[in-house]
Amino acid sequence: MTAARAHPRTHPKHTHDDAPDTSADFRRIAGLPDGQEKDTLRQDVVRAWMPMAERIASQFRNRGESAEDLRQVAMVGLVKAVKRYEPDRGSAFESYAVPTVVGEVKRHFRDHMWGLHVPRRVQELRNRVRTAIQELTRSPDDRSPGVKDIARHTGMTEEDVLVGMEALDSFRTLSLDAALRGADDGYALVDTLGSTESSYERVVQRESLKPCLRRLPEREREILYLRFFCDETQSRIADRLGISQMHVSRLINRTCARLGQEVGARAA
């Protein structure tokens, strides 16, 4: 089957006011070599179809992206459609351009608008669930449809519905600086987060040292107690024990090194 039979030539049906007849321009483009003249004619065609791209962009409003950014993305899709369109295949440009522009906008949402990295399959489940909720909620007084209702309406499994529902809140992340609902004193989400208590490490160290300290000779225990708990100087400890300050210093260094080795061995 030839391409012409697969795509029978049809005259474009202008179902919208923004669907101009540019078939002659496309035939000219197809016959021109690459160069300034071809680029200029393509730009003219793009300008002619810009209202159509703007209409498509407007269909995606109120989804978290600015209207101007949506318009720019739609224009990128339009430029791609004009560049890739092959009039000899027989289909009208609009039937090729619309899905190209729509696909570009959807790709933008998928790749750039999610606050969290979500697999494409989960994004698609989310979109199906969101659409089903809108279709099943006929009025503001209607109850929100449940998992079974959505599964029955879409043909999805309940497991997939649950995945899609969980992804509904993943499109936008909440800033940690955002004030909590009902808080009038500037209390933010970050204020609810816990932090590591520095004293925990000190407790662990003390508990690890206790059995090691018990095994020290009585004189070493007394020296450490006087130096680190009573804040005595080495010279006063030496006078109290009747030994030299140098001896006290050596005992402290040797004992601390031994304790460090024992605690390290226990931790390992």
Side-chain angles (χ1 to χ4, degrees), residues 204-237:
V204 172
Q205 292 173 351
R206 285 183 175 178
E207 292 302 312
S208 300
L209 274 173
K210 282 182 179 179
C212 301
L213 290 171
R214 294 192 187 102
R215 290 193 293 269
L216 288 176
E218 182 178 354
R219 185 175 64 172
E220 277 79 348
R221 289 204 307 269
E222 183 177 5
I223 290 175
L224 293 183
Y225 175 76
L226 293 173
R227 180 70 186 92
F228 296 108
F229 289 87
C230 299
D231 200 25
E232 293 282 2
T233 63
Q234 292 184 10
S235 59
R236 294 183 63 178
I237 296 173

PDB file of all heavy atoms in Angstrom, residues 204-237:
ATOM      1  N   VAL A 204      25.991   8.786  74.655  1.00  0.00           N
ATOM      2  CA  VAL A 204      26.571   7.552  74.129  1.00  0.00           C
ATOM      3  C   VAL A 204      28.028   7.419  74.559  1.00  0.00           C
ATOM      4  O   VAL A 204      28.487   6.339  74.962  1.00  0.00           O
ATOM      5  CB  VAL A 204      26.440   7.523  72.585  1.00  0.00           C
ATOM      6  CG1 VAL A 204      27.218   6.339  72.009  1.00  0.00           C
ATOM      7  CG2 VAL A 204      24.976   7.443  72.176  1.00  0.00           C
ATOM      8  N   GLN A 205      28.750   8.533  74.481  1.00  0.00           N
ATOM      9  CA  GLN A 205      30.156   8.493  74.851  1.00  0.00           C
ATOM     10  C   GLN A 205      30.330   8.169  76.333  1.00  0.00           C
ATOM     11  O   GLN A 205      31.206   7.377  76.717  1.00  0.00           O
ATOM     12  CB  GLN A 205      30.811   9.831  74.513  1.00  0.00           C
ATOM     13  CG  GLN A 205      30.921  10.097  73.011  1.00  0.00           C
ATOM     14  CD  GLN A 205      31.427  11.489  72.721  1.00  0.00           C
ATOM     15  OE1 GLN A 205      31.547  12.338  73.614  1.00  0.00           O
ATOM     16  NE2 GLN A 205      31.725  11.757  71.440  1.00  0.00           N
ATOM     17  N   ARG A 206      29.503   8.779  77.177  1.00  0.00           N
ATOM     18  CA  ARG A 206      29.626   8.529  78.609  1.00  0.00           C
ATOM     19  C   ARG A 206      29.299   7.078  78.948  1.00  0.00           C
ATOM     20  O   ARG A 206      29.989   6.441  79.764  1.00  0.00           O
ATOM     21  CB  ARG A 206      28.695   9.468  79.377  1.00  0.00           C
ATOM     22  CG  ARG A 206      29.198  10.903  79.441  1.00  0.00           C
ATOM     23  CD  ARG A 206      28.259  11.758  80.274  1.00  0.00           C
ATOM     24  NE  ARG A 206      28.783  13.109  80.439  1.00  0.00           N
ATOM     25  CZ  ARG A 206      28.152  14.090  81.089  1.00  0.00           C
ATOM     26  NH1 ARG A 206      26.949  13.854  81.628  1.00  0.00           N
ATOM     27  NH2 ARG A 206      28.706  15.280  81.209  1.00  0.00           N
ATOM     28  N   GLU A 207      28.227   6.552  78.327  1.00  0.00           N
ATOM     29  CA  GLU A 207      27.857   5.173  78.611  1.00  0.00           C
ATOM     30  C   GLU A 207      28.929   4.206  78.112  1.00  0.00           C
ATOM     31  O   GLU A 207      29.156   3.155  78.716  1.00  0.00           O
ATOM     32  CB  GLU A 207      26.505   4.853  77.960  1.00  0.00           C
ATOM     33  CG  GLU A 207      25.331   5.583  78.584  1.00  0.00           C
ATOM     34  CD  GLU A 207      25.205   5.294  80.069  1.00  0.00           C
ATOM     35  OE1 GLU A 207      25.262   4.099  80.447  1.00  0.00           O
ATOM     36  OE2 GLU A 207      25.060   6.253  80.845  1.00  0.00           O
ATOM     37  N   SER A 208      29.595   4.562  77.031  1.00  0.00           N
ATOM     38  CA  SER A 208      30.664   3.705  76.517  1.00  0.00           C
ATOM     39  C   SER A 208      31.890   3.749  77.413  1.00  0.00           C
ATOM     40  O   SER A 208      32.645   2.769  77.521  1.00  0.00           O
ATOM     41  CB  SER A 208      31.043   4.136  75.096  1.00  0.00           C
ATOM     42  OG  SER A 208      29.944   4.038  74.207  1.00  0.00           O
ATOM     43  N   LEU A 209      32.107   4.890  78.062  1.00  0.00           N
ATOM     44  CA  LEU A 209      33.288   5.055  78.916  1.00  0.00           C
ATOM     45  C   LEU A 209      33.142   4.397  80.284  1.00  0.00           C
ATOM     46  O   LEU A 209      34.143   4.013  80.905  1.00  0.00           O
ATOM     47  CB  LEU A 209      33.588   6.543  79.109  1.00  0.00           C
ATOM     48  CG  LEU A 209      34.451   7.218  78.057  1.00  0.00           C
ATOM     49  CD1 LEU A 209      34.504   8.718  78.313  1.00  0.00           C
ATOM     50  CD2 LEU A 209      35.867   6.640  78.067  1.00  0.00           C
ATOM     51  N   LYS A 210      31.902   4.293  80.767  1.00  0.00           N
ATOM     52  CA  LYS A 210      31.706   3.827  82.144  1.00  0.00           C
ATOM     53  C   LYS A 210      32.393   2.504  82.435  1.00  0.00           C
ATOM     54  O   LYS A 210      33.153   2.395  83.424  1.00  0.00           O
ATOM     55  CB  LYS A 210      30.208   3.734  82.449  1.00  0.00           C
ATOM     56  CG  LYS A 210      29.566   5.079  82.742  1.00  0.00           C
ATOM     57  CD  LYS A 210      28.090   4.897  83.087  1.00  0.00           C
ATOM     58  CE  LYS A 210      27.453   6.242  83.417  1.00  0.00           C
ATOM     59  NZ  LYS A 210      26.012   6.099  83.741  1.00  0.00           N
ATOM     60  N   PRO A 211      32.188   1.457  81.663  1.00  0.00           N
ATOM     61  CA  PRO A 211      32.878   0.181  82.002  1.00  0.00           C
ATOM     62  C   PRO A 211      34.394   0.278  81.874  1.00  0.00           C
ATOM     63  O   PRO A 211      35.120  -0.410  82.605  1.00  0.00           O
ATOM     64  CB  PRO A 211      32.284  -0.803  80.966  1.00  0.00           C
ATOM     65  CG  PRO A 211      31.762   0.050  79.863  1.00  0.00           C
ATOM     66  CD  PRO A 211      31.300   1.313  80.497  1.00  0.00           C
ATOM     67  N   CYS A 212      34.869   1.136  80.968  1.00  0.00           N
ATOM     68  CA  CYS A 212      36.322   1.290  80.826  1.00  0.00           C
ATOM     69  C   CYS A 212      36.903   2.003  82.041  1.00  0.00           C
ATOM     70  O   CYS A 212      38.013   1.669  82.497  1.00  0.00           O
ATOM     71  CB  CYS A 212      36.643   2.075  79.557  1.00  0.00           C
ATOM     72  SG  CYS A 212      36.038   1.310  78.023  1.00  0.00           S
ATOM     73  N   LEU A 213      36.191   2.989  82.557  1.00  0.00           N
ATOM     74  CA  LEU A 213      36.660   3.715  83.733  1.00  0.00           C
ATOM     75  C   LEU A 213      36.711   2.804  84.955  1.00  0.00           C
ATOM     76  O   LEU A 213      37.610   2.920  85.803  1.00  0.00           O
ATOM     77  CB  LEU A 213      35.760   4.920  84.010  1.00  0.00           C
ATOM     78  CG  LEU A 213      35.848   6.078  83.022  1.00  0.00           C
ATOM     79  CD1 LEU A 213      34.754   7.107  83.288  1.00  0.00           C
ATOM     80  CD2 LEU A 213      37.230   6.752  83.116  1.00  0.00           C
ATOM     81  N   ARG A 214      35.742   1.893  85.039  1.00  0.00           N
ATOM     82  CA  ARG A 214      35.705   1.009  86.207  1.00  0.00           C
ATOM     83  C   ARG A 214      36.916   0.089  86.256  1.00  0.00           C
ATOM     84  O   ARG A 214      37.327  -0.360  87.327  1.00  0.00           O
ATOM     85  CB  ARG A 214      34.418   0.184  86.179  1.00  0.00           C
ATOM     86  CG  ARG A 214      33.140   0.991  86.355  1.00  0.00           C
ATOM     87  CD  ARG A 214      31.947   0.078  86.607  1.00  0.00           C
ATOM     88  NE  ARG A 214      30.692   0.821  86.605  1.00  0.00           N
ATOM     89  CZ  ARG A 214      29.852   0.843  85.588  1.00  0.00           C
ATOM     90  NH1 ARG A 214      30.126   0.166  84.479  1.00  0.00           N
ATOM     91  NH2 ARG A 214      28.734   1.540  85.664  1.00  0.00           N
ATOM     92  N   ARG A 215      37.485  -0.186  85.096  1.00  0.00           N
ATOM     93  CA  ARG A 215      38.626  -1.099  85.049  1.00  0.00           C
ATOM     94  C   ARG A 215      39.959  -0.396  85.281  1.00  0.00           C
ATOM     95  O   ARG A 215      41.006  -1.040  85.355  1.00  0.00           O
ATOM     96  CB  ARG A 215      38.645  -1.821  83.690  1.00  0.00           C
ATOM     97  CG  ARG A 215      37.516  -2.823  83.507  1.00  0.00           C
ATOM     98  CD  ARG A 215      37.762  -3.726  82.314  1.00  0.00           C
ATOM     99  NE  ARG A 215      37.711  -2.975  81.063  1.00  0.00           N
ATOM    100  CZ  ARG A 215      36.604  -2.802  80.344  1.00  0.00           C
ATOM    101  NH1 ARG A 215      35.457  -3.328  80.769  1.00  0.00           N
ATOM    102  NH2 ARG A 215      36.630  -2.119  79.219  1.00  0.00           N
ATOM    103  N   LEU A 216      39.965   0.929  85.397  1.00  0.00           N
ATOM    104  CA  LEU A 216      41.210   1.656  85.625  1.00  0.00           C
ATOM    105  C   LEU A 216      41.687   1.475  87.065  1.00  0.00           C
ATOM    106  O   LEU A 216      40.886   1.317  87.988  1.00  0.00           O
ATOM    107  CB  LEU A 216      40.998   3.148  85.354  1.00  0.00           C
ATOM    108  CG  LEU A 216      40.828   3.587  83.897  1.00  0.00           C
ATOM    109  CD1 LEU A 216      40.535   5.096  83.856  1.00  0.00           C
ATOM    110  CD2 LEU A 216      42.077   3.269  83.069  1.00  0.00           C
ATOM    111  N   PRO A 217      42.998   1.533  87.271  1.00  0.00           N
ATOM    112  CA  PRO A 217      43.517   1.553  88.642  1.00  0.00           C
ATOM    113  C   PRO A 217      42.948   2.757  89.391  1.00  0.00           C
ATOM    114  O   PRO A 217      42.608   3.779  88.787  1.00  0.00           O
ATOM    115  CB  PRO A 217      45.033   1.659  88.454  1.00  0.00           C
ATOM    116  CG  PRO A 217      45.285   1.106  87.078  1.00  0.00           C
ATOM    117  CD  PRO A 217      44.086   1.506  86.273  1.00  0.00           C
ATOM    118  N   GLU A 218      42.880   2.633  90.723  1.00  0.00           N
ATOM    119  CA  GLU A 218      42.245   3.684  91.525  1.00  0.00           C
ATOM    120  C   GLU A 218      42.921   5.031  91.344  1.00  0.00           C
ATOM    121  O   GLU A 218      42.255   6.068  91.304  1.00  0.00           O
ATOM    122  CB  GLU A 218      42.266   3.278  93.004  1.00  0.00           C
ATOM    123  CG  GLU A 218      41.580   4.287  93.910  1.00  0.00           C
ATOM    124  CD  GLU A 218      41.560   3.854  95.357  1.00  0.00           C
ATOM    125  OE1 GLU A 218      41.995   2.701  95.643  1.00  0.00           O
ATOM    126  OE2 GLU A 218      41.131   4.652  96.202  1.00  0.00           O
ATOM    127  N   ARG A 219      44.268   5.063  91.257  1.00  0.00           N
ATOM    128  CA  ARG A 219      44.963   6.347  91.129  1.00  0.00           C
ATOM    129  C   ARG A 219      44.604   7.040  89.805  1.00  0.00           C
ATOM    130  O   ARG A 219      44.370   8.245  89.794  1.00  0.00           O
ATOM    131  CB  ARG A 219      46.483   6.145  91.224  1.00  0.00           C
ATOM    132  CG  ARG A 219      47.243   7.473  91.218  1.00  0.00           C
ATOM    133  CD  ARG A 219      48.725   7.291  91.425  1.00  0.00           C
ATOM    134  NE  ARG A 219      49.348   6.539  90.318  1.00  0.00           N
ATOM    135  CZ  ARG A 219      50.667   6.391  90.199  1.00  0.00           C
ATOM    136  NH1 ARG A 219      51.486   6.904  91.105  1.00  0.00           N
ATOM    137  NH2 ARG A 219      51.160   5.691  89.208  1.00  0.00           N
ATOM    138  N   GLU A 220      44.560   6.286  88.695  1.00  0.00           N
ATOM    139  CA  GLU A 220      44.213   6.899  87.413  1.00  0.00           C
ATOM    140  C   GLU A 220      42.782   7.446  87.434  1.00  0.00           C
ATOM    141  O   GLU A 220      42.504   8.522  86.895  1.00  0.00           O
ATOM    142  CB  GLU A 220      44.379   5.876  86.275  1.00  0.00           C
ATOM    143  CG  GLU A 220      45.785   5.741  85.756  1.00  0.00           C
ATOM    144  CD  GLU A 220      46.668   4.876  86.654  1.00  0.00           C
ATOM    145  OE1 GLU A 220      46.253   4.564  87.777  1.00  0.00           O
ATOM    146  OE2 GLU A 220      47.778   4.517  86.240  1.00  0.00           O
ATOM    147  N   ARG A 221      41.865   6.673  88.083  1.00  0.00           N
ATOM    148  CA  ARG A 221      40.483   7.156  88.168  1.00  0.00           C
ATOM    149  C   ARG A 221      40.411   8.464  88.946  1.00  0.00           C
ATOM    150  O   ARG A 221      39.706   9.397  88.578  1.00  0.00           O
ATOM    151  CB  ARG A 221      39.593   6.106  88.836  1.00  0.00           C
ATOM    152  CG  ARG A 221      39.326   4.882  87.985  1.00  0.00           C
ATOM    153  CD  ARG A 221      38.024   4.188  88.415  1.00  0.00           C
ATOM    154  NE  ARG A 221      38.017   3.895  89.835  1.00  0.00           N
ATOM    155  CZ  ARG A 221      38.442   2.761  90.364  1.00  0.00           C
ATOM    156  NH1 ARG A 221      38.933   1.803  89.580  1.00  0.00           N
ATOM    157  NH2 ARG A 221      38.394   2.541  91.667  1.00  0.00           N
ATOM    158  N   GLU A 222      41.194   8.529  90.041  1.00  0.00           N
ATOM    159  CA  GLU A 222      41.168   9.745  90.852  1.00  0.00           C
ATOM    160  C   GLU A 222      41.747  10.927  90.090  1.00  0.00           C
ATOM    161  O   GLU A 222      41.221  12.052  90.155  1.00  0.00           O
ATOM    162  CB  GLU A 222      41.964   9.523  92.141  1.00  0.00           C
ATOM    163  CG  GLU A 222      41.921  10.727  93.080  1.00  0.00           C
ATOM    164  CD  GLU A 222      42.652  10.487  94.388  1.00  0.00           C
ATOM    165  OE1 GLU A 222      43.278   9.411  94.527  1.00  0.00           O
ATOM    166  OE2 GLU A 222      42.591  11.378  95.261  1.00  0.00           O
ATOM    167  N   ILE A 223      42.820  10.721  89.345  1.00  0.00           N
ATOM    168  CA  ILE A 223      43.432  11.802  88.570  1.00  0.00           C
ATOM    169  C   ILE A 223      42.444  12.341  87.535  1.00  0.00           C
ATOM    170  O   ILE A 223      42.276  13.554  87.377  1.00  0.00           O
ATOM    171  CB  ILE A 223      44.726  11.319  87.901  1.00  0.00           C
ATOM    172  CG1 ILE A 223      45.817  11.085  88.957  1.00  0.00           C
ATOM    173  CG2 ILE A 223      45.206  12.326  86.862  1.00  0.00           C
ATOM    174  CD1 ILE A 223      47.090  10.489  88.392  1.00  0.00           C
ATOM    175  N   LEU A 224      41.782  11.440  86.823  1.00  0.00           N
ATOM    176  CA  LEU A 224      40.812  11.881  85.803  1.00  0.00           C
ATOM    177  C   LEU A 224      39.641  12.613  86.451  1.00  0.00           C
ATOM    178  O   LEU A 224      39.150  13.616  85.916  1.00  0.00           O
ATOM    179  CB  LEU A 224      40.301  10.678  84.997  1.00  0.00           C
ATOM    180  CG  LEU A 224      41.324   9.963  84.109  1.00  0.00           C
ATOM    181  CD1 LEU A 224      40.649   8.850  83.332  1.00  0.00           C
ATOM    182  CD2 LEU A 224      42.000  10.943  83.144  1.00  0.00           C
ATOM    183  N   TYR A 225      39.220  12.111  87.629  1.00  0.00           N
ATOM    184  CA  TYR A 225      38.107  12.768  88.317  1.00  0.00           C
ATOM    185  C   TYR A 225      38.496  14.186  88.731  1.00  0.00           C
ATOM    186  O   TYR A 225      37.740  15.129  88.529  1.00  0.00           O
ATOM    187  CB  TYR A 225      37.713  11.945  89.546  1.00  0.00           C
ATOM    188  CG  TYR A 225      36.653  12.609  90.393  1.00  0.00           C
ATOM    189  CD1 TYR A 225      35.328  12.625  89.994  1.00  0.00           C
ATOM    190  CD2 TYR A 225      37.003  13.236  91.597  1.00  0.00           C
ATOM    191  CE1 TYR A 225      34.367  13.240  90.781  1.00  0.00           C
ATOM    192  CE2 TYR A 225      36.051  13.850  92.381  1.00  0.00           C
ATOM    193  CZ  TYR A 225      34.719  13.856  91.970  1.00  0.00           C
ATOM    194  OH  TYR A 225      33.772  14.476  92.733  1.00  0.00           O
ATOM    195  N   LEU A 226      39.677  14.337  89.307  1.00  0.00           N
ATOM    196  CA  LEU A 226      40.112  15.662  89.752  1.00  0.00           C
ATOM    197  C   LEU A 226      40.337  16.613  88.576  1.00  0.00           C
ATOM    198  O   LEU A 226      40.007  17.806  88.661  1.00  0.00           O
ATOM    199  CB  LEU A 226      41.419  15.534  90.561  1.00  0.00           C
ATOM    200  CG  LEU A 226      41.299  14.812  91.908  1.00  0.00           C
ATOM    201  CD1 LEU A 226      42.683  14.602  92.522  1.00  0.00           C
ATOM    202  CD2 LEU A 226      40.412  15.607  92.861  1.00  0.00           C
ATOM    203  N   ARG A 227      40.854  16.070  87.466  1.00  0.00           N
ATOM    204  CA  ARG A 227      41.188  16.953  86.333  1.00  0.00           C
ATOM    205  C   ARG A 227      39.959  17.351  85.535  1.00  0.00           C
ATOM    206  O   ARG A 227      39.783  18.534  85.201  1.00  0.00           O
ATOM    207  CB  ARG A 227      42.205  16.234  85.406  1.00  0.00           C
ATOM    208  CG  ARG A 227      42.615  17.080  84.199  1.00  0.00           C
ATOM    209  CD  ARG A 227      43.477  18.242  84.656  1.00  0.00           C
ATOM    210  NE  ARG A 227      43.770  19.155  83.571  1.00  0.00           N
ATOM    211  CZ  ARG A 227      43.045  20.226  83.270  1.00  0.00           C
ATOM    212  NH1 ARG A 227      41.965  20.529  84.018  1.00  0.00           N
ATOM    213  NH2 ARG A 227      43.401  21.015  82.288  1.00  0.00           N
ATOM    214  N   PHE A 228      39.076  16.392  85.241  1.00  0.00           N
ATOM    215  CA  PHE A 228      37.992  16.678  84.303  1.00  0.00           C
ATOM    216  C   PHE A 228      36.637  16.930  84.972  1.00  0.00           C
ATOM    217  O   PHE A 228      35.737  17.485  84.335  1.00  0.00           O
ATOM    218  CB  PHE A 228      37.859  15.524  83.303  1.00  0.00           C
ATOM    219  CG  PHE A 228      39.076  15.366  82.422  1.00  0.00           C
ATOM    220  CD1 PHE A 228      39.935  14.296  82.599  1.00  0.00           C
ATOM    221  CD2 PHE A 228      39.376  16.300  81.443  1.00  0.00           C
ATOM    222  CE1 PHE A 228      41.067  14.151  81.795  1.00  0.00           C
ATOM    223  CE2 PHE A 228      40.504  16.156  80.641  1.00  0.00           C
ATOM    224  CZ  PHE A 228      41.356  15.084  80.818  1.00  0.00           C
ATOM    225  N   PHE A 229      36.484  16.539  86.229  1.00  0.00           N
ATOM    226  CA  PHE A 229      35.218  16.771  86.901  1.00  0.00           C
ATOM    227  C   PHE A 229      35.319  17.855  87.969  1.00  0.00           C
ATOM    228  O   PHE A 229      34.350  18.555  88.226  1.00  0.00           O
ATOM    229  CB  PHE A 229      34.697  15.471  87.537  1.00  0.00           C
ATOM    230  CG  PHE A 229      34.221  14.460  86.528  1.00  0.00           C
ATOM    231  CD1 PHE A 229      35.121  13.563  85.957  1.00  0.00           C
ATOM    232  CD2 PHE A 229      32.900  14.401  86.130  1.00  0.00           C
ATOM    233  CE1 PHE A 229      34.704  12.626  85.023  1.00  0.00           C
ATOM    234  CE2 PHE A 229      32.467  13.474  85.196  1.00  0.00           C
ATOM    235  CZ  PHE A 229      33.373  12.581  84.625  1.00  0.00           C
ATOM    236  N   CYS A 230      36.515  17.958  88.567  1.00  0.00           N
ATOM    237  CA  CYS A 230      36.716  18.998  89.578  1.00  0.00           C
ATOM    238  C   CYS A 230      37.503  20.190  89.042  1.00  0.00           C
ATOM    239  O   CYS A 230      37.718  21.176  89.766  1.00  0.00           O
ATOM    240  CB  CYS A 230      37.444  18.415  90.802  1.00  0.00           C
ATOM    241  SG  CYS A 230      36.533  17.088  91.606  1.00  0.00           S
ATOM    242  N   ASP A 231      37.963  20.077  87.801  1.00  0.00           N
ATOM    243  CA  ASP A 231      38.685  21.157  87.122  1.00  0.00           C
ATOM    244  C   ASP A 231      39.952  21.561  87.885  1.00  0.00           C
ATOM    245  O   ASP A 231      40.306  22.754  87.933  1.00  0.00           O
ATOM    246  CB  ASP A 231      37.768  22.371  86.926  1.00  0.00           C
ATOM    247  CG  ASP A 231      38.280  23.290  85.824  1.00  0.00           C
ATOM    248  OD1 ASP A 231      39.007  22.791  84.939  1.00  0.00           O
ATOM    249  OD2 ASP A 231      37.943  24.485  85.842  1.00  0.00           O
ATOM    250  N   GLU A 232      40.616  20.598  88.481  1.00  0.00           N
ATOM    251  CA  GLU A 232      41.854  20.873  89.190  1.00  0.00           C
ATOM    252  C   GLU A 232      43.012  20.961  88.178  1.00  0.00           C
ATOM    253  O   GLU A 232      43.023  20.275  87.152  1.00  0.00           O
ATOM    254  CB  GLU A 232      42.161  19.761  90.194  1.00  0.00           C
ATOM    255  CG  GLU A 232      41.192  19.662  91.349  1.00  0.00           C
ATOM    256  CD  GLU A 232      41.461  20.724  92.416  1.00  0.00           C
ATOM    257  OE1 GLU A 232      42.380  21.551  92.210  1.00  0.00           O
ATOM    258  OE2 GLU A 232      40.769  20.710  93.444  1.00  0.00           O
ATOM    259  N   THR A 233      44.028  21.783  88.498  1.00  0.00           N
ATOM    260  CA  THR A 233      45.202  21.881  87.642  1.00  0.00           C
ATOM    261  C   THR A 233      46.111  20.686  87.892  1.00  0.00           C
ATOM    262  O   THR A 233      46.026  20.013  88.926  1.00  0.00           O
ATOM    263  CB  THR A 233      45.974  23.175  87.905  1.00  0.00           C
ATOM    264  OG1 THR A 233      46.464  23.157  89.255  1.00  0.00           O
ATOM    265  CG2 THR A 233      45.082  24.393  87.689  1.00  0.00           C
ATOM    266  N   GLN A 234      46.995  20.437  86.945  1.00  0.00           N
ATOM    267  CA  GLN A 234      47.917  19.310  87.091  1.00  0.00           C
ATOM    268  C   GLN A 234      48.857  19.511  88.288  1.00  0.00           C
ATOM    269  O   GLN A 234      49.206  18.537  88.984  1.00  0.00           O
ATOM    270  CB  GLN A 234      48.724  19.126  85.802  1.00  0.00           C
ATOM    271  CG  GLN A 234      47.902  18.655  84.617  1.00  0.00           C
ATOM    272  CD  GLN A 234      48.758  18.402  83.382  1.00  0.00           C
ATOM    273  OE1 GLN A 234      49.994  18.411  83.466  1.00  0.00           O
ATOM    274  NE2 GLN A 234      48.103  18.176  82.238  1.00  0.00           N
ATOM    275  N   SER A 235      49.228  20.743  88.526  1.00  0.00           N
ATOM    276  CA  SER A 235      50.148  20.997  89.650  1.00  0.00           C
ATOM    277  C   SER A 235      49.460  20.731  90.981  1.00  0.00           C
ATOM    278  O   SER A 235      50.077  20.161  91.909  1.00  0.00           O
ATOM    279  CB  SER A 235      50.663  22.444  89.601  1.00  0.00           C
ATOM    280  OG  SER A 235      49.596  23.364  89.656  1.00  0.00           O
ATOM    281  N   ARG A 236      48.188  21.109  91.119  1.00  0.00           N
ATOM    282  CA  ARG A 236      47.472  20.858  92.381  1.00  0.00           C
ATOM    283  C   ARG A 236      47.219  19.373  92.557  1.00  0.00           C
ATOM    284  O   ARG A 236      47.250  18.853  93.690  1.00  0.00           O
ATOM    285  CB  ARG A 236      46.151  21.633  92.383  1.00  0.00           C
ATOM    286  CG  ARG A 236      46.351  23.145  92.391  1.00  0.00           C
ATOM    287  CD  ARG A 236      45.036  23.892  92.457  1.00  0.00           C
ATOM    288  NE  ARG A 236      44.317  23.606  93.688  1.00  0.00           N
ATOM    289  CZ  ARG A 236      43.142  24.162  94.021  1.00  0.00           C
ATOM    290  NH1 ARG A 236      42.581  25.045  93.171  1.00  0.00           N
ATOM    291  NH2 ARG A 236      42.544  23.861  95.144  1.00  0.00           N
ATOM    292  N   ILE A 237      46.962  18.652  91.478  1.00  0.00           N
ATOM    293  CA  ILE A 237      46.785  17.202  91.567  1.00  0.00           C
ATOM    294  C   ILE A 237      48.099  16.549  91.997  1.00  0.00           C
ATOM    295  O   ILE A 237      48.118  15.633  92.830  1.00  0.00           O
ATOM    296  CB  ILE A 237      46.318  16.631  90.210  1.00  0.00           C
ATOM    297  CG1 ILE A 237      44.934  17.178  89.842  1.00  0.00           C
ATOM    298  CG2 ILE A 237      46.292  15.105  90.241  1.00  0.00           C
ATOM    299  CD1 ILE A 237      44.464  16.799  88.455  1.00  0.00           C
TER     300      ILE A 237
END
